[in-house]
Amino acid sequence: MLDMDNEAFMEQLEELVERKRWPELRDILVQLEPADIAQIMDDLPEDRLPLLYRLLPKELAAEVFVEMEGSQQELLIKSFSDTELKEVLDELYVDDTVDIVEEMPANVVKRILQHADPETRKSINEILKYPEDSAGSIMTTEFVDLKKDMTVEAAIKRIRRTGMDKETINICYVTDPNRKLLGIVSIRTLLLSDEEDIIEDIMDPNVVSVNTLEDKEDVAQDFNRYGFIALPVVDTENRLVGIVTFDDAMGVMEEEATEDIEKMAAILPTDKPYLRSGVLETVKSRIPWLLLLMLSATLSGIVINRFEDSLAAYSVLIGFIPMLTGTGGNSGSQSSVAVIRGLSLNEIDFSDLPAVVWKESRVAVVCGVILACANFVKLLVVDRWLMGNEEVTFVIAMVICLTLVCTVFCAKVVGCTLPLLAEKLGLDPAVMASPFITTIVDVLSLLIYFTFATLLLGL
Amino acid sequence: MLDMDNEAFMEQLEELVERKRWPELRDILVQLEPADIAQIMDDLPEDRLPLLYRLLPKELAAEVFVEMEGSQQELLIKSFSDTELKEVLDELYVDDTVDIVEEMPANVVKRILQHADPETRKSINEILKYPEDSAGSIMTTEFVDLKKDMTVEAAIKRIRRTGMDKETINICYVTDPNRKLLGIVSIRTLLLSDEEDIIEDIMDPNVVSVNTLEDKEDVAQDFNRYGFIALPVVDTENRLVGIVTFDDAMGVMEEEATEDIEKMAAILPTDKPYLRSGVLETVKSRIPWLLLLMLSATLSGIVINRFEDSLAAYSVLIGFIPMLTGTGGNSGSQSSVAVIRGLSLNEIDFSDLPAVVWKESRVAVVCGVILACANFVKLLVVDRWLMGNEEVTFVIAMVICLTLVCTVFCAKVVGCTLPLLAEKLGLDPAVMASPFITTIVDVLSLLIYFTFATLLLGL
């Protein structure tokens, strides 16, 4: 792999660019992977881009183009002559073209569609019809289809003739005259069979397929579950309309994991790499939750104000508020995050609610008791005995430890229930993560704290 | 895809098991994917497992075996005769066998190694030598290797002869007599070339490979970056020792995302699905961080106790503590999570520290000012004017809003710096996420709060 941190290498390239040593540059670039070349082009001055790009051989150029950032692609398309644009488009797979079309402004899209060949244009328009995040929107229409009465020899001939333009030839799809999907056969099976074998006899008729409208996240999960190289996408009448390949599924998996992580940290999902998104963009993705959570924290304030007078009498209680709300928040977010991840990975669903709550309750009791004991010892031995803090009495320690047990219990039960409820209601469970739970648990833990204080200290 | 939520289907299967209708059961099972069959076997009574498993045809049986939980595999191995065990082992790929060996108790491992054929045993022992989480530990040694002076015809013949036992034939590896990796050639290139072409002329000599000791997480990132089906694994002398396939990489990606998410929620990573881990196991993964964070929250308590007397004079200040620490914590965790994710995806590294801090500082100022303004209006309009809370004076509002701006700034700078420092020090950046940041930010925000209160209110 190219070590992109290798500054010496980048400096060498930059020098070659400055000194206009194009043939040498070309010789270096063609040895690299498309993704790496795209990153290099990204890091070089923009005005050099079209020139540098034209150094690449046609096929590699198209592969590099796919890997570039939208803004760079736009810049290049604008610099292309009509013939150049047509050449690049001819080399691209349909799903990649669609990805590009989706990011470009209207005038660029128009130019792309004008120069795509009629069949590609039809495919692009078809894929664009599918809702964002659906299997249809990420599929490609370029797959190898075979007929069930072909011999292996005829099938291999067909692959040799048409395979060049297909995204993958590793899995071939057997369809009937109405394009209904009958089975799949891998290139490995084809190669390991006799030339006279009939496709129908060697194909696997038990095909896992996905519907065009299926969520792309579920499609990615299927890939991970079954280890497929490609999955066929069918319409409601089981007609094969496209395939999704594993590399697209990997992209989706990573994207979804990032989105989940962002939501759990109260960030609205963005689809740009960290350093590429502008300050205002970042602010926009962060400020809504911050505002909402800040205002909802007012509730905690109200609870505290209610008990202001009692707190004035036992001011030692105030110092333990951050520890209690913090521990409650952490306990709750542990449960919510575990459940949210289980939901994303399809390990659990709403019907598991009783099992989940039962498990979390037992975990909560054990955790709560351990934390309370640790705290009890700390309060009486460290605070009272060693530090000589006379305000920390046995009763105060009891209030704090009882609060801990109850808070951890409530936090864990709330933490595991809310994501499941969200899922049931069709909301995104991930937003029920840490920050949201924390705000609720803050209020709960304060209420529990002051209740025990009132009961045991007679406030 | 099999809908596992389909209870009717599962009930039908259970009934067939109870009524011992083995042939019917077999006919249903063989239509399913291995992962689905494994899950069904998981859900059925354990004593039926060996019987049910023996229904499956040999090849499918091995594929199902790989997908099972460790405990089920152990149960099955114990029920196998020596011949049966040998049959299953012969069908397994080496990397899958290693995965199984790693999970089994010593006596079972001994039995497996006894019954594996000598070459497999050698490979298993070799793979077991590599450190956990390294590329070597997840690779398989079963790949197609070709020589550079072969013709395409000879290569295809070789694949036909040996391909059955290889994990993938989609990419073939060209090596010299010393097993040095010279290039790769895809099955597609082979099929689309003339039979007389020489491998050396059609192979791609610019191969991305990974070292045996490379972290498996980085390997998974390479798959995602380059979209490869398989990556060759070489030793320090560039000798080809194995390959990693995309399906293993997908598993690693998902595992790592789960681990990161767990660490960010202060959970020690577990590798079992949510409902499969026992209560004590779950407690063990959660209690260490809870204890640590609880005890470190003592710091906040100390800060508050320092200012106890002043707080008694201005008790209205107490009610805003949860809002201030909460907002600080959320701001900090947003930054830390964004940076941690950027690090996992190799979008940023330690050298980007200045750029990251500069970006977060600007985001912090904008966020802080917006939050402060919103709060100022809320305090004076809602709290003072509408609710008639006379204690909320203009100066108090100023204290709170200035605290907000400074807290958000500190939180974001700390939040983005700590994960980068952790990475630099070779620690795991993910543990620098929300809970850890929150604890630090709690203390910071209280210090800032009381400093402003002292300055403006003259405490």
Side-chain angles (χ1 to χ4, degrees), chain A residues 357-373:
Chain A
V357 172
W358 173 230
K359 177 180 168 171
E360 288 296 330
S361 307
R362 287 176 298 161
V363 172
V365 170
V366 181
C367 284
V369 169
I370 295 177
L371 292 172
C373 292

Side-chain angles (χ1 to χ4, degrees), chain B residues 94-250:
Chain B
V94 173
D95 57 340
D96 294 326
T97 315
V98 171
D99 287 347
I100 294 164
V101 163
E102 282 173 332
E103 284 214 13
M104 295 294 130
N107 57 334
V108 178
V109 170
K110 208 173 145 194
R111 216 179 135 215
I112 291 177
L113 289 178
Q114 265 168 5
H115 291 91
D117 63 74
E119 204 182 326
T120 310
R121 190 160 53 232
K122 206 177 133 224
S123 294
I124 293 174
N125 282 323
E126 220 162 86
I127 296 175
L128 283 174
K129 265 188 346 219
Y130 294 107
E132 206 187 347
D133 298 338
S134 68
S137 74
I138 57 166
M139 72 184 184
T140 180
T141 50
E142 293 151 321
F143 50 84
V144 179
D145 59 335
L146 304 175
K147 300 297 158 206
K148 67 176 179 173
D149 44 12
M150 277 181 171
T151 61
V152 167
E153 193 183 2
I156 292 182
K157 258 201 196 129
R158 184 174 164 80
I159 294 170
R160 285 215 163 107
R161 207 177 60 240
T162 65
M164 189 67 84
D165 295 327
K166 306 305 183 187
E167 177 138 1
T168 183
I169 63 159
N170 298 323
I171 307 281
C172 305
Y173 299 86
V174 187
T175 53
D176 74 5
N178 295 321
R179 304 196 56 77
K180 286 228 165 97
L181 181 60
L182 301 175
I184 57 171
V185 56
S186 69
I187 190 77
R188 176 197 203 119
T189 308
L190 283 175
L191 279 182
L192 300 180
S193 302
D194 281 333
E195 294 202 327
E196 294 78 36
D197 285 348
I198 301 298
I199 294 296
E200 188 172 18
D201 302 330
I202 60 167
M203 74 179 188
D204 179 357
N206 303 307
V207 189
V208 176
S209 64
V210 295
N211 188 274
T212 46
L213 299 179
E214 191 156 333
D215 190 309
K216 67 177 181 182
E217 195 171 351
D218 293 335
V219 177
Q221 285 300 332
D222 284 348
F223 273 92
N224 192 30
R225 179 176 174 90
Y226 300 117
F228 295 140
I229 287 190
L231 257 178
V233 183
V234 296
D235 64 14
T236 39
E237 271 123 75
N238 200 32
R239 278 185 308 238
L240 183 62
V241 290
I243 61 169
V244 177
T245 47
F246 74 96
D247 48 327
D248 299 316
M250 276 193 172

Side-chain angles (χ1 to χ4, degrees), chain A residues 78-265:
Chain A
K78 284 179 175 157
S79 82
F80 283 161
S81 70
D82 286 352
T83 329
E84 281 174 319
L85 179 60
K86 205 167 161 33
E87 268 175 17
V88 172
L89 290 175
D90 282 348
E91 291 287 335
L92 293 181
Y93 292 121
V94 174
D95 57 339
D96 293 327
T97 316
V98 170
D99 286 347
I100 293 163
V101 161
E102 282 173 333
E103 284 213 13
M104 294 295 130
N107 57 334
V108 178
V109 171
K110 209 173 143 192
R111 216 178 135 215
I112 292 177
L113 289 178
Q114 266 168 6
H115 292 92
D117 64 74
E119 204 182 327
T120 309
R121 189 159 54 233
K122 208 179 130 223
S123 293
I124 294 174
N125 282 323
E126 219 161 86
I127 296 175
L128 282 175
K129 265 189 345 219
Y130 294 107
E132 207 187 346
D133 297 339
S134 69
S137 75
I138 56 167
M139 72 183 185
T140 180
T141 51
E142 293 150 322
F143 50 84
V144 179
D145 59 336
L146 303 175
K147 299 297 157 205
K148 67 175 178 175
D149 44 12
M150 277 179 171
T151 60
V152 167
E153 193 183 3
I156 292 183
K157 258 199 195 131
R158 184 177 163 79
I159 295 170
R160 285 213 162 108
R161 209 176 59 239
T162 65
M164 190 66 85
D165 295 328
K166 306 305 183 187
E167 178 138 1
T168 183
I169 63 160
N170 298 325
I171 308 281
C172 306
Y173 299 87
V174 187
T175 54
D176 75 4
N178 296 321
R179 305 196 55 77
K180 286 227 165 96
L181 181 60
L182 301 176
I184 56 171
V185 55
S186 69
I187 191 77
R188 176 199 205 118
T189 308
L190 282 175
L191 279 182
L192 301 180
S193 303
D194 281 333
E195 293 202 328
E196 293 79 37
D197 285 347
I198 302 298
I199 294 297
E200 189 172 16
D201 301 330
I202 60 168
M203 74 180 187
D204 179 358
N206 303 308
V207 188
V208 175
S209 63
V210 294
N211 188 275
T212 46
L213 299 179
E214 191 154 335
D215 191 308
K216 67 178 182 183
E217 195 171 349
D218 294 335
V219 176
Q221 285 300 332
D222 285 347
F223 272 93
N224 192 29
R225 179 176 174 89
Y226 300 115
F228 295 140
I229 288 189
L231 257 179
V233 183
V234 296
D235 64 14
T236 40
E237 270 122 79
N238 201 30
R239 279 185 307 236
L240 182 63
V241 290
I243 61 170
V244 177
T245 47
F246 74 96
D247 48 327
D248 299 315
M250 277 193 170
V252 171
M253 272 172 60
E254 194 109 283
E255 230 174 74
E256 300 292 340
T258 304
E259 261 190 49
D260 273 7
I261 290 174
E262 288 179 337
K263 282 182 207 148
M264 290 181 194

